[in-house]
Amino acid sequence: MKPLTGKTIVLGISGGIAAYKAATLCSRLVSWGASVRVIMTEGATRFITPLTLQTLSRHPVATDVFDERDAAVVQHIDWADAADLVIVAPATANVIGKMANGIADDMLTTTLLAATAPIIVAPAMNVHMWEHPAVIENVNKLAARGVRFVEPGTGQLACGYVGKGRLAEPEEIAEAAAAWLTGPRPLAGRKVLVTAGGTVERIDPVRYITNDSSGKMGFALAEAARDYGAEVTLICAKTDEKPPGGVEVVRVQSAADMHEAVLRRLGAVDAVVKAAAVADYRPAVRHDAKIKKSGETLTLELVRNPDILQAIGEWKEAHPGERAPFTIGFAAETGDLEKYATDKLARKKCDLIVANDVSQPGAGFGTDTNIASVFGPEGLVESIPLSAKRQVAERIWQLAAERMNRA
Ligand code: C5P
């Protein structure tokens, strides 16, 4: 059977030069068995004709919200309701701006506002437009609402510039659509919280203590949870990586901030993964003014930070009737994994501990890969060999989902 048989996809095409590539996308989706309904903006029809898309999709193309052909239905509502997925490709800065701000002034934007199906947006525009703060803000706003972005590629742009802004290849957009519609969704209907990055403990306005966490493992976990159907909140401390789209990002600095952000959400989430590297100590005093150079030595006094993972365990014990989150902790060790991980699991009352031996090449901080051993209350659950962090994340979620469903 074709992968998209039985699926209805609304394909919105807006007015950029890349509109011609939407024809290839449409034809790929149809060849994979999808029933494709095309909506074109007025601008799109200047670049490619509705007849082309009508021929490829084998359905009439909608361009005018007032052109109601079937008296039995209101077309934009009918199409929005019928959609299993909406794709906007290419998406101009203009249509992204309208989506972000709830503007519905043509057939495409009206249908988008009425649609409850997932939405994939594939932007295409000039590099300076893509980097404009207004566009960045709009993209972030949509991503926070769960819109998936297939990011533009870098290369020669039609306007003559070389930079980021080229529409992703139709093949890549079709694959994102197929993955969304047919991939496994073991976390559908679940709300999860992921912490990532390294906390920042301020000494004075210009100095701080932090660690080498890149945030990559936490981001991979957030992204995998999103693709497995969860609603994801990512509590993010210091990282240079770009967080995944389609998740709610909450920025924090210190362990105390993260503690507050996590505890505030307990009772409303089904799982918490603590992939962040949280400082165990912070300076006892945070100076309001820059510390001046004086003597030959300077002593900083450090005090213990709250242990967030432990606090979650304590919260669970104190709130027996409430929605107890399945808790996954991380342990970065340099040997004797089993001993430290099982001890941590018991002490912090976790459901799973993911231990990585950071002394092994390819594991731990900064790398794109990891090697992990997952421990449960019964001991070693699984050893995950050297794999991409994304794959490690998927396996962790599969193990967690099995256990959450069992409970
Ligand atoms: O004890 P250790 O710091 O090695 O434990 C690591 C695990 O505990 C990680 O999941 C980390 O996010 C979490 N942690 C925490 N609060 C702290 C320190 C660590 O939640 N203050």
Side-chain angles (χ1 to χ4, degrees), residues 93-113:
N94 179 51
V95 82
I96 290 172
K98 287 188 199 175
M99 289 171 76
N101 291 288
I103 294 170
D105 64 353
D106 62 8
M107 180 63 188
L108 176 57
T109 47
T110 310
T111 308
L112 281 163
L113 209 52

Side-chain angles (χ1 to χ4, degrees), residues 85 118-121 139-140 142-151 172 175-177 179-194 217-234 242-249 271 273 390 393-394 396-398 401:
L85 177 73
I119 299 174
I120 290 180
V121 168
V139 167
N140 288 346
L142 291 172
R145 282 185 211 146
V147 170
R148 281 285 305 274
F149 282 83
V150 181
E151 295 247 340
E172 191 190 341
E175 270 163 18
W180 187 282
L181 287 169
T182 61
R185 300 173 82 71
L187 296 174
R190 303 274 193 194
K191 281 191 177 183
V192 309
L193 191 68
V194 178
M217 192 63 229
F219 285 6
L221 282 154
E223 192 179 74
R226 174 200 71 194
D227 291 348
Y228 276 179
E231 203 179 301
V232 183
T233 301
L234 178 61
K242 194 170 170 297
V247 311
E248 183 198 8
V249 179
V273 184
R390 171 60 200 246
E394 285 176 13
I396 293 169
W397 281 123
Q398 288 161 11

Side-chain angles (χ1 to χ4, degrees), residues 66 89 103 135 142 187 195 205 239-240 287 307 310 382:
F66 299 109
I103 294 170
V135 174
L142 291 172
L187 296 174
T195 69
T239 157
D240 293 330
H287 294 264
D307 190 308
Q310 197 148 340
E382 190 163 307

